[in-house]
Amino acid sequence: RRIKFDSVDVHPIEKALIVFYRIEAILLSTDGEPMAGEKREAQKMIKVQSLNATTDINGLAKEVIHQCKLIPSSRLNEVQQLLSYLQQRPDNKPANMSDKMRPMTSSQLMRNDDMVDIINHQMDEQASMGKLDSYIELLYEELEGKIRGTSLILQLAKQNENLQDLSLNESLIGALYRVLREDGRKHYALAVNIAFTFFYFASYSSFHPMLTRFKVGSLLMEIVRGEFVRFEQWESELNLGHFEQGKVNCIQCFNHGLHRKFQTALLQQTLLIRTCFYVLLHLSEDPGVEDKMRKKGIVSLLIRTLQRKHIHSSLNYLVLTFLQKLSIFGENKDEMAQLGVIEKAAILVDSPHRLVQDSAARVLYNLSFDPALRLRIGRLGLLPSLIRMMLTDSQGGNIAWALVYQISLDDRGRILISRSECFSFVLEYLLRCKEIPLPSIPLALAVNLAHVPKLATELSQSKYFVLFLDLAIANQDAVLIKLLRNAAGHALSSQSSNPVVMEKIVDAILKCSGDYFNVEALGLLANLGEFSLSTGWETIISDKRFLNWIDKHLQPGTSPFDVQLSAVLVLRSIAAATEASLHLIDSGLISTLLNLLRTQQEDDEFVLQILHVFYRLLRHDEIRFIIVNKVNIPASFLDLMTDQNLEVRKVCERGLMLIAESDTKWEERIKNERFCWHNAQWLEAIAKTNLLSSPGNNLISTSTQSYPNIIRLFSSGTEDEHSIAGSVLDLCVRHADLLDRASNSASSFGSPESRIGSPVESIDAWDAQI
């Protein structure tokens, strides 16, 4: 005799747990050979009447497992969750309710024997495979004989060892199909018996082809549709005023027990619909069969079932599980959205039944991968319910975290979340969490929410910033550093950019060898540096180790791309401080940046950030002279002032204006370069045709409207005319390479090989400056 644990669940009414298990008894001969055997399912109820709001759930769960040897110790967490649910569930046990009429627990979703007994009273006759032919003959008699025959066949189908022989009897399967199609609507006992028989077959994939061949799935879908029509008829009859209470809807009848007959019929109908859906769910394992169901409208049937507010929680759970499976396909997802499944599933997130909550959240999670539906889910006000689910460590809590994370992927979704207390809850959860590393989904959610300026400012000015920084450095948690980096980068103000905090980050960078951690730590340091005072940077880089570390990692081929770019961002922040920028000049990092600029010419982001470093250095009067006269930075600005990238051109323009203001020689050269660029086509025509020797050339006369300032030079009629023309010709020769590049830019615009773009401003504006 062997006992095998199956599952454990809460009692639907009592403060108790129900343990489901299987008993296998085998009778052995004197030789030890098995002679006979029996398998049956059993259950045991464990009452916890002393459970109240102050009960220690963890201790009680351990005591339950210790007292009940049927529950394995590995199920401790599951027992804790069930006891927690019982602790929070209100006591609403109805009076004078018989055991057979009580709702089933979630673990009884597959165990429908009790509900079958409601419809089909327990028979004293024991079915036998040897009498199968006589049972088939009963299917051709009157209604009572058919009910008796299907009941006996159902007894045989419950025994797994009989299923193979029953499936080979095609006359049996054909007769069951015929009776269900023709007489299924006459009596619920008959329909439920046959549906349950098919259910036991559908529980094994090897019998699916047989059920598909007899088109059992199509028949069951038609039965479900017929039950919906029957329900509408019942509802219309109730609304006609057949009862003394006037217009009483079916939900009130079900809840208050005003009419036992209607209540029983409703329960029978629920059992039939649920059994049909179970068979369909099993058959849908075959993608081809599932696609046929979709074409026949399985999605609409499932969603119509969710509209029945009075249905049993187990049917809700089954329907949501089916929808979850279907929602991974685009066609089903679109149909579900049109039929309003999002709003219906959102209501069930507040269900008192834990499994229904989890299944509803999973359906919404699958649909949330569509950006439009994700925003629609975020607007339903589910955050309070999802936060309550987050409080648990169960699987349902995990799906709630994942769903909120999905909503946070979009800017509008993050704004919706920012209006609740979700961010504070997430930060508190991460701070109290004992896991190392921190859970990935809550941490990723916090990283996304830190993009909202309001929340980023809140984090930057709170106690959490320094606490998280210490935790991240201690565990070298790059994702946690990324959270702080986002907060510092999007905050409107910060109280965390003090030298002490920044020195901690610098020390962590010098000690850590992980590239991912260094990338995020350098980014965090750069963002904090934007709020830091000049004295803060000067204190940090007075120790040459950090600048030497940056110089080493900026050498070509020494570090990954992300590390080098983050290091350049740090130099950009340092360059904004006057005193600290002097250390950059002394350290030789300018030459390293120029070399890096040449090797990374094809990367727009690298070029832009290096130019930002140079531009910020040029803004300091104290070091602008050094930049212009001793370092070849102006030439880099001139070379990139015609870049295809608009942002690069803007930085170069601002930098060239500062250079021109500080040095007259560079001012003249910059004007010449601008002139040649903005008049490249005109000068190219002059260089090719050599028309400067003819002052009355038609080309000049036809260009008087487009280039008035240039024509003024050639039409003055003075003795310096030829010398001026010669100087322009010299410009054409000196900038032959620029003209070639300008002529090629029309065909190569937008390609990574060419960095020449269109001019920033109009030609007339530049003519005015010249």
Side-chain angles (χ1 to χ4, degrees):
R1 184 172 178 268
R2 292 184 299 178
I3 298 177
K4 291 185 178 180
F5 171 80
D6 192 354
S7 61
V8 59
D9 203 345
V10 297
H11 194 279
I13 304 299
E14 304 286 348
K15 280 190 175 182
L17 299 178
I18 301 178
V19 182
F20 298 96
Y21 59 96
R22 294 191 298 272
I23 301 176
E24 298 179 0
I26 301 175
L27 180 62
L28 301 178
S29 65
T30 56
D31 299 332
E33 296 295 329
M35 297 176 58
E38 179 185 4
K39 297 179 181 179
R40 64 185 181 89
E41 296 179 348
Q43 63 186 41
K44 179 180 181 180
M45 183 167 59
I46 305 173
K47 293 186 178 182
V48 285
Q49 298 294 344
S50 60
L51 181 64
N52 53 48
T54 60
T55 302
D56 180 12
I57 297 298
N58 296 334
L60 181 59
K62 294 178 181 179
E63 182 64 22
V64 168
I65 293 179
H66 177 72
Q67 295 293 336
C68 183
K69 303 301 182 182
L70 295 171
I71 307 176
S73 58
S74 60
R75 298 299 184 100
L76 177 61
N77 289 337
E78 184 177 354
V79 174
Q80 291 176 353
Q81 295 165 16
L82 295 175
L83 291 175
S84 178
Y85 170 72
L86 280 176
Q87 188 181 43
Q88 300 174 9
R89 187 181 69 180
D91 188 7
N92 54 357
K93 178 181 177 182
N96 301 324
M97 186 176 186
S98 63
D99 291 337
K100 288 187 177 181
M101 295 302 297
R102 292 176 180 173
M104 294 189 304
T105 60
S106 59
S107 293
Q108 287 176 298
L109 295 174
M110 288 293 195
R111 301 177 181 82
N112 299 284
D113 300 343
D114 294 341
M115 294 194 70
V116 174
D117 294 342
I118 298 174
I119 302 172
N120 215 357
H121 294 294
Q122 191 71 27
M123 298 181 60
D124 296 332
E125 183 178 357
Q126 186 68 29
S128 172
M129 283 293 296
K131 301 179 180 179
L132 180 60
D133 292 338
S134 62
Y135 302 156
I136 297 176
E137 292 178 0
L138 291 173
L139 301 180
Y140 294 90
E141 296 184 0
E142 297 299 326
L143 184 61
E144 293 184 1
K146 292 178 181 178
I147 294 175
R148 178 171 172 267
T150 54
S151 299
L152 293 169
I153 294 172
L154 178 59
Q155 285 187 37
L156 296 177
K158 290 180 181 180
Q159 304 298 323
N160 297 340
E161 58 270 16
N162 297 332
L163 290 176
Q164 183 67 35
D165 294 333
L166 293 175
S167 66
L168 296 177
N169 194 328
E170 293 195 1
S171 60
L172 168 65
I173 306 300
L176 291 174
Y177 176 85
R178 177 187 58 80
V179 171
L180 180 60
R181 183 189 62 196
E182 296 177 357
D183 302 322
R185 288 182 59 86
K186 295 180 180 179
H187 201 286
Y188 273 117
L190 180 64
V192 170
N193 285 338
I194 299 177
F196 263 99
T197 303
F198 290 147
F199 164 76
Y200 285 111
F201 281 116
S203 300
Y204 296 90
S205 300
S206 58
F207 301 125
H208 288 183
M210 178 266 294
L211 296 175
T212 304
R213 186 170 69 254
F214 281 93
K215 299 182 179 180
V216 172
S218 299
L219 176 59
L220 295 181
M221 291 181 65
E222 292 301 323
I223 289 176
V224 173
R225 288 194 179 93
E227 292 304 317
F228 288 153
V229 174
R230 178 181 289 180
F231 176 79
E232 293 174 357
Q233 292 175 353
W234 290 347
E235 194 173 36
S236 62
E237 290 176 2
L238 290 170
N239 292 332
L240 288 177
H242 290 176
F243 304 105
E244 297 179 359
Q245 288 78 10
K247 291 186 176 181
V248 181
N249 59 39
C250 59
I251 301 173
Q252 291 172 329
C253 294
F254 184 77
N255 288 339
H256 299 288
L258 297 177
H259 303 282
R260 179 65 63 180
K261 181 179 179 180
F262 179 77
Q263 177 182 343
T264 304
L266 206 56
L267 186 61
Q268 293 170 345
Q269 186 184 67
T270 299
L271 176 60
L272 177 60
I273 293 175
R274 187 180 62 181
T275 308
C276 292
F277 278 141
Y278 261 120
V279 177
L280 294 171
L281 177 61
H282 286 307
L283 294 178
S284 66
E285 292 177 1
D286 185 344
V289 175
E290 181 180 305
D291 188 57
K292 291 180 180 178
M293 292 182 186
R294 178 188 65 82
K295 294 177 180 178
K296 290 181 179 293
I298 186 64
V299 174
S300 62
L301 287 179
L302 293 169
I303 295 177
R304 286 182 66 184
T305 306
L306 287 181
Q307 295 174 347
R308 294 159 57 105
K309 298 180 182 179
H310 61 281
I311 62 176
H312 195 271
S313 58
S314 60
L315 181 54
N316 271 332
Y317 171 72
L318 170 61
V319 170
L320 290 170
T321 303
F322 208 154
L323 289 173
Q324 176 191 344
K325 181 179 184 297
L326 295 172
S327 62
I328 62 177
F329 296 98
E331 301 89 344
N332 298 333
K333 179 258 300 180
D334 296 336
E335 185 178 0
M336 290 178 190
Q338 293 176 0
L339 295 175
V341 72
I342 293 178
E343 290 73 17
K344 295 176 177 62
I347 295 174
L348 295 175
V349 171
D350 290 325
S351 171
H353 200 285
R354 180 67 58 83
L355 292 177
V356 176
Q357 288 182 6
D358 297 351
S359 299
R362 290 182 183 280
V363 172
L364 295 176
Y365 175 75
N366 284 356
L367 298 177
S368 67
F369 287 89
D370 186 312
L373 300 183
R374 183 162 60 231
L375 180 61
R376 186 169 154 188
I377 294 170
R379 289 173 174 171
L380 292 176
L382 292 175
L383 285 176
S385 301
L386 294 176
I387 290 176
R388 286 195 296 270
M389 294 177 66
M390 291 177 185
L391 290 171
T392 66
D393 294 329
S394 64
Q395 194 173 9
N398 292 332
I399 195 62
W401 282 106
L403 179 55
V404 178
Y405 169 78
Q406 286 290 110
I407 298 174
S408 71
L409 292 177
D410 300 323
D411 290 337
R412 288 178 291 181
R414 288 192 286 268
I415 293 174
L416 291 172
I417 297 175
S418 67
R419 296 170 183 170
S420 68
E421 299 298 326
C422 182
F423 191 57
S424 300
F425 167 77
V426 173
L427 296 180
E428 193 67 28
Y429 176 87
L430 292 173
L431 190 61
R432 295 182 178 182
C433 185
K434 302 300 182 183
E435 297 182 31
I436 297 178
L438 292 174
S440 58
I441 297 180
L443 189 53
L445 172 60
V447 170
N448 286 352
L449 294 180
H451 284 84
V452 181
K454 172 188 172 183
L455 302 180
T457 306
E458 177 184 334
L459 175 56
S460 298
Q461 296 181 350
S462 68
K463 62 178 181 179
Y464 297 108
F465 193 95
V466 178
L467 294 175
F468 282 142
L469 178 61
D470 293 339
L471 183 61
I473 293 175
N475 300 324
Q476 292 192 358
D477 192 335
V479 183
L480 189 53
I481 289 287
K482 186 179 185 67
L483 166 63
L484 303 179
R485 176 183 182 178
N486 282 1
H490 294 85
L492 304 176
S493 62
S494 176
Q495 297 180 358
S496 303
S497 353
N498 58 73
V500 176
V501 173
M502 298 172 69
E503 286 175 3
K504 287 183 180 180
I505 302 173
V506 171
D507 291 339
I509 294 172
L510 296 176
K511 294 177 182 178
C512 181
S513 58
D515 292 333
Y516 185 26
F517 180 86
N518 285 336
V519 167
E520 300 301 335
L522 288 168
L524 172 59
L525 187 63
N527 290 340
L528 291 178
E530 297 296 328
F531 296 102
S532 178
L533 298 175
S534 177
T535 54
W537 273 122
E538 185 179 6
T539 303
I540 293 173
I541 64 176
S542 58
D543 184 358
K544 300 296 183 181
R545 291 186 304 158
F546 184 51
L547 291 181
N548 293 338
W549 185 94
I550 293 179
D551 188 41
K552 174 184 175 182
H553 286 76
L554 287 182
Q555 299 301 324
T558 57
S559 298
F561 165 85
D562 292 338
V563 175
Q564 291 186 335
L565 181 59
S566 297
V568 173
L569 293 176
V570 173
L571 296 180
R572 171 182 169 176
S573 295
I574 296 175
T578 304
E579 294 81 358
S581 59
L582 293 174
H583 291 279
L584 295 184
I585 304 296
D586 298 337
S587 64
L589 276 168
I590 303 302
S591 301
T592 303
L593 288 175
L594 287 172
N595 185 37
L596 189 63
L597 183 63
R598 287 190 292 269
T599 58
Q600 298 289 345
Q601 278 287 313
E602 303 303 327
D603 191 284
D604 284 350
E605 186 64 23
F606 244 121
V607 171
L608 178 62
Q609 298 304 332
I610 293 176
L611 290 178
H612 269 297
V613 176
F614 294 158
Y615 170 69
R616 289 191 172 189
L617 292 174
L618 287 170
R619 294 177 62 182
H620 304 301
D621 297 334
E622 297 83 348
I623 61 175
R624 188 182 304 158
F625 178 81
I626 302 175
I627 295 294
V628 172
N629 294 281
K630 297 184 179 181
V631 187
N632 198 25
I633 287 180
S636 300
F637 280 100
L638 280 175
D639 182 57
L640 295 170
M641 74 175 185
T642 58
D643 192 84
Q644 293 180 7
N645 189 290
L646 176 60
E647 296 300 323
V648 171
R649 296 201 303 269
K650 287 181 178 180
V651 177
C652 289
E653 176 58 29
R654 293 195 295 266
L656 290 174
M657 291 178 62
L658 293 175
I659 295 171
E661 292 175 0
S662 61
D663 190 283
T664 55
K665 294 181 180 180
W666 276 107
E667 180 182 9
E668 187 65 26
R669 182 176 175 182
I670 291 170
K671 285 183 178 181
N672 292 338
E673 293 284 349
R674 287 171 173 169
F675 170 81
C676 288
W677 166 248
H678 289 285
N679 302 284
Q681 293 181 352
W682 188 77
L683 292 175
E684 184 181 18
I686 294 176
K688 287 183 178 179
T689 59
N690 198 17
L691 295 180
L692 289 175
S693 58
S694 300
N697 189 277
N698 292 332
L699 176 63
I700 299 179
S701 62
T702 58
S703 305
T704 54
Q705 294 180 353
S706 301
Y707 305 97
N709 292 333
I710 302 300
I711 299 307
R712 205 175 295 120
L713 293 175
F714 293 97
S715 60
S716 60
T718 63
E719 60 183 4
D720 297 331
E721 178 179 352
H722 294 287
S723 62
I724 296 175
S727 64
V728 174
L729 185 58
D730 291 340
L731 282 175
C732 296
V733 174
R734 188 164 65 250
H735 295 282
D737 178 63
L738 176 63
L739 296 176
D740 292 339
R741 289 157 58 195
S743 62
N744 294 331
S745 65
S747 59
S748 62
F749 185 82
S751 64
E753 291 77 18
S754 173
R755 299 195 63 82
I756 303 300
S758 59
V760 180
E761 300 181 14
S762 66
I763 295 176
D764 293 337
W766 286 114
D767 287 342
Q769 292 186 20
I770 295 175

